[in-house]
Amino acid sequence: MLALLAALPIIIVGVLMIGYMWPASKAMPFGWLSALIIAGIGWGMPVKWLSAATIGGVINALSILLIVFGALLILQLMKKSGGVYGISHSMTSISVDRRVQVIIIAWLMGSFFEGAAGFGTPAAVAAPLLVGMGFPPLIAATSALIADSTAVTFGAVGVPIWGGFAALENLIEFPIQSMGVSIEFSQFLHNIGAFSALLHFLVGSFIPLIIVLLMTRIVDGSFKKGLEVLPLALFGGFIFTICQFSIAYFVGPELPSLLGSLIALPVFILQSQEVFWYRTKSGIFLLMISGMRAGKVKLKLENGM
């Protein structure tokens, strides 16, 4: 019952934003107000605590907004200076296949943005970049958000790990004993990062394939064209998660997403140059924003390289 009561502010915000299509600027104050009422009545928190929690939330929100503002500022500077066009032109020199491009931008570059800045930066940068390159907004948004699911554990130089578990250092007496081994707090965080990276290796490696399949399903109504790049999509997934796990295991939880993407990106680009990975009998898969039929962007194929 208490768990449901604690989740009520989130449910209220979800209903207002999804059910009634309210903007966040209107829905979030209701979530904040409901949280105050529930905390005050349900848990009997004093007014000082409620005020302190509110001030702390505002400060945390400002710090996140500052990071996202920096990312959006860079994106706008890139647009004004022609950087987006330059990236788009460079991408065509790597591959004109939209399936390859979405893996590079959403999966690998998005993971780099997450590892460096976090806090929604991949969606704020990668998605508009994809739109600027000609991707439909729905595909750009879904691809960027799904791709971020693996790198987010080590986002913002490991904040979810060392920041999320920082309070345990004062709640639990370290070192702790596990299987006859004494574990300090730093080693405890290291183990959490390594185990998280292992889970990403087992599951997150398939995210690029899921993104490609979803993209082809949305625009063409079929998974077939997505499966045509199955080897390359799996290669892109595993090359990043292997690097991520290796860095988490041997280095620590701060750099797996940041360095993992930096290592995987050039390797994937070099491998994508190999024609046999994604050349099919029909030719190269191109996303053409040339016609709309039944509300879907049609996919066309052009023969040859």
Side-chain angles (χ1 to χ4, degrees):
M1 182 62 183
L2 290 178
L4 180 61
L5 193 63
L8 190 58
I10 300 176
I11 296 174
I12 291 175
V13 171
V15 170
L16 291 177
M17 293 184 65
I18 300 175
Y20 292 92
M21 303 299 292
W22 281 25
S25 59
K26 291 184 178 181
M28 295 307 294
F30 282 92
W32 166 74
L33 183 61
S34 61
L36 287 182
I37 295 174
I38 291 172
I41 298 177
W43 276 269
M45 292 180 63
V47 177
K48 289 184 178 180
W49 289 17
L50 296 176
S51 301
T54 300
I55 295 173
V58 171
I59 294 174
N60 290 333
L62 289 176
S63 63
I64 294 173
L65 287 174
L66 183 61
I67 294 174
V68 176
F69 171 77
L72 292 176
L73 179 61
I74 293 174
L75 178 63
Q76 293 302 318
L77 289 174
M78 290 173 61
K79 286 183 177 180
K80 297 297 183 181
S81 63
V84 173
Y85 173 78
I87 293 175
S88 179
H89 180 72
S90 299
M91 287 299 301
T92 57
S93 66
I94 296 172
S95 174
V96 293
D97 192 324
R98 291 296 197 182
R99 297 168 297 186
V100 177
Q101 291 177 356
V102 76
I103 294 175
I104 294 175
I105 299 295
W107 172 245
L108 295 174
M109 291 184 64
S111 296
F112 171 77
F113 295 143
E114 179 62 44
F119 301 110
T121 304
V125 176
L129 186 58
L130 288 171
V131 173
M133 292 174 58
F135 282 79
L138 177 60
I139 293 177
T142 54
S143 299
L145 292 173
I146 294 174
D148 193 37
S149 60
T150 302
V152 69
T153 304
F154 306 100
V157 200
V159 167
I161 301 293
W162 58 261
F165 290 92
L168 289 180
E169 190 173 10
N170 299 322
L171 297 176
I172 300 176
E173 185 177 350
F174 285 89
I176 59 177
Q177 299 295 322
S178 177
M179 301 179 65
V181 179
S182 180
I183 301 178
E184 296 289 346
F185 182 68
S186 59
Q187 184 62 42
F188 172 73
L189 295 181
H190 188 103
N191 293 345
I192 292 176
F195 182 74
S196 300
L198 178 60
L199 293 179
H200 289 320
F201 171 74
L202 297 175
V203 180
S205 301
F206 300 95
I207 293 297
L209 178 61
I210 293 174
I211 293 173
V212 171
L213 290 175
L214 181 63
M215 182 180 74
T216 57
R217 176 65 178 177
I218 291 175
V219 300
D220 200 46
S222 172
F223 295 119
K224 182 179 179 181
K225 292 184 176 65
L227 292 174
E228 290 175 355
V229 292
L230 173 65
L232 186 61
L234 292 179
F235 177 81
F238 278 101
I239 190 62
F240 171 69
T241 55
I242 289 173
C243 293
Q244 186 185 57
F245 173 75
S246 300
I247 295 170
Y249 185 83
F250 292 106
V251 179
E254 292 84 5
L255 301 174
S257 292
L258 182 62
L259 288 184
S261 58
L262 280 178
I263 297 172
L265 182 59
V267 174
F268 179 82
I269 290 176
L270 290 174
Q271 185 59 66
S272 67
Q273 302 298 309
E274 297 294 333
V275 177
F276 74 88
W277 277 108
Y278 58 91
R279 181 164 182 164
T280 66
K281 294 180 180 179
S282 301
I284 301 176
F285 179 95
L286 291 174
L287 185 62
M288 307 296 291
I289 318 299
S290 58
M292 302 289 290
R293 185 181 302 172
K296 295 182 179 179
V297 180
K298 291 300 177 181
L299 299 174
K300 294 184 179 180
L301 295 171
E302 290 187 3
N303 293 324
M305 289 298 296

